[in-house]
Amino acid sequence: MNSVRLRIFIALLLSVLPIVGCGSSSASGPAGASVAPASSELFLTVDTSFESDQWQAVLRLLSKFPDGDKGLDFLLKGLSDQGIDFERDVGPALGPETDLVGLDLSGEPQFVGLTKPEDAQKLKDLLAKSDEPVVTREIEGWTAFADSEATLDRFQEDRTEGSLADSDDFNDAFREVGDPALARLYLNGAALQESLQREESLPPGALATLLPGGKVPSIALSVEADENGVRLQGAARLAGDDGGLVAEPFKAELPNSVPAGAVVYIGFNDLEGQLSALKEFLAQVRPDFDRDLARVEAELGLSLEGDVFPLFSGESALYIRPGLLIPEVTLVTQVDDENMALGTMEKLISELRTRVSLVEPPEQVEIAGVPVVESRVKGAPVSIYYAAFDGHLVVTTSRDGIAALREDDNRLADDPDFRDALEAADVPDETTGFAYVNLKDAVANLLGFAQMGGATLPSELQANLEPLRHLVFYGSKDGSTLKFAGFLAVD
């Protein structure tokens, strides 16, 4: 078995063994699902064949980093110090699929590991080297291992009620995420709901303020590799179509207005509804929340529901662009009433003066033909600027944050890095929100700032960061199915 492939998996193995004290996958689902109880709250399956296309992709990605093997070599040395040789002791102890089953995640969590080892004795010998006792049991051709006989007894007892392989909820969830994949995870919504309902601190109906239909959805996640990076996919089946913290899909228009060159961009829509849902939830779980909030609102002369939340009723964006001395941070949000938005900002900045040392009084300045309020921070080369124009409220740390928005060309939507990143991540035209990080430029700027500050950075650090290109996260929604994904691009 290729030693490089074995070294890649060691990090994953070391994360699984401490949890428990110590058949290959198919398109229809992992083979271990036929052994795991249908009531399992968690099911994690990992490709441990080391011969799959996924592991070949991992090898290619790893080769793009000059020191790609050093971290794994460090872990291997840790094993060697314990008298464990990966290729001799670990590789034969695993089958082509290794699973982790969480029977109960509340109280004292109970976990069971599953695999079909190439050499059963090798697995027993490996588990015997754990700092904590580990027991094993043969179940339908699989070796199950856990921290106690009682856990394995419960595992077998729960199996009498059916397996995950026969669960429509499990199969539906896994069909929504990537396959093949390095690893896939399932969280049983119904089982988690039962655990939450036993919590006395959670009032009846509180979940309905956060989750459509008031039920915890089952969630599936997958991590997969390709020659260009690592992809995360997730999905959740909601009990209702809308409401709570779940945003509705929208087509982002602000990238057509925001200047190019952003190293970070976070776009969202109708945050007002989500903030209101969160406020309602906090009022239910914290008896004094409404009273304390009323006192704060009285001091501010503002209402969250009436004044602050409406600032985020439309499309909004928070982005960062490189600056001469410090980065520019800008918030842009669509508003229906510019004068009302400015009035709210005036009161918020006034309250901020009691928390941050701002120069008094604020200055009225004009930038690119727009009246702007500037509040300078004492003793620092930074100001807070805010203005309302073209149906937007803009809050920024740079004069150029206002001026650049007034220009017509060099928009973010036309930025090649931005376009390429969204395309590589398969971002749809409509999302529930998305985030973009230009790692190539962000890392270069951070390293430059560190060197300007007198820091001496090892050459190996920069060399191993250079392959990183961009990171994108986004959500999408189709009826009651919520999906989310992320992509880390490596060149």
Side-chain angles (χ1 to χ4, degrees), residues 17 54 97 132 172 211 263 269 291 296 310 313 319 324 351 354 374 395 421 459 480:
L17 289 180
Q54 283 291 290
E97 173 185 318
E132 300 294 333
D172 289 345
L211 300 169
V263 294
N269 190 59
R291 184 193 63 194
V296 172
S313 61
Y319 58 92
L324 183 60
E351 177 63 18
T354 66
E374 176 186 4
V395 184
S459 58
S480 60

Side-chain angles (χ1 to χ4, degrees), residues 292-357:
D292 295 341
L293 178 61
R295 184 165 54 245
V296 172
E297 289 181 331
E299 293 176 359
L300 289 174
L302 291 171
S303 162
L304 288 184
E305 292 281 0
D307 299 310
V308 179
F309 292 172
L311 294 179
F312 303 96
S313 61
E315 183 182 351
S316 304
L318 176 69
Y319 58 92
I320 301 174
R321 294 195 305 151
L324 183 60
L325 294 177
I326 61 174
E328 168 206 322
V329 181
T330 302
L331 171 69
V332 180
T333 180
Q334 294 176 338
V335 293
D336 295 327
D337 190 323
E338 294 181 7
N339 290 330
M340 183 177 295
L342 288 173
T344 299
M345 277 304 305
E346 181 179 352
K347 293 179 180 179
L348 289 173
I349 293 295
S350 177
E351 177 63 18
L352 184 62
R353 291 190 185 96
T354 66
R355 317 291 181 188
V356 181
S357 183

Side-chain angles (χ1 to χ4, degrees), residues 180-194:
L182 288 170
R184 287 184 288 171
L185 173 69
Y186 166 74
L187 293 173
N188 186 330
L192 294 173
Q193 177 100 16
E194 290 183 11

Side-chain angles (χ1 to χ4, degrees), residues 173 176-178 219-222 232-236 476 481-486:
E176 297 290 346
V177 297
I219 299 174
L221 293 169
S222 70
L232 170 73
Q233 293 188 54
S476 60
T481 300
L482 179 66
K483 294 185 178 183
F484 41 97

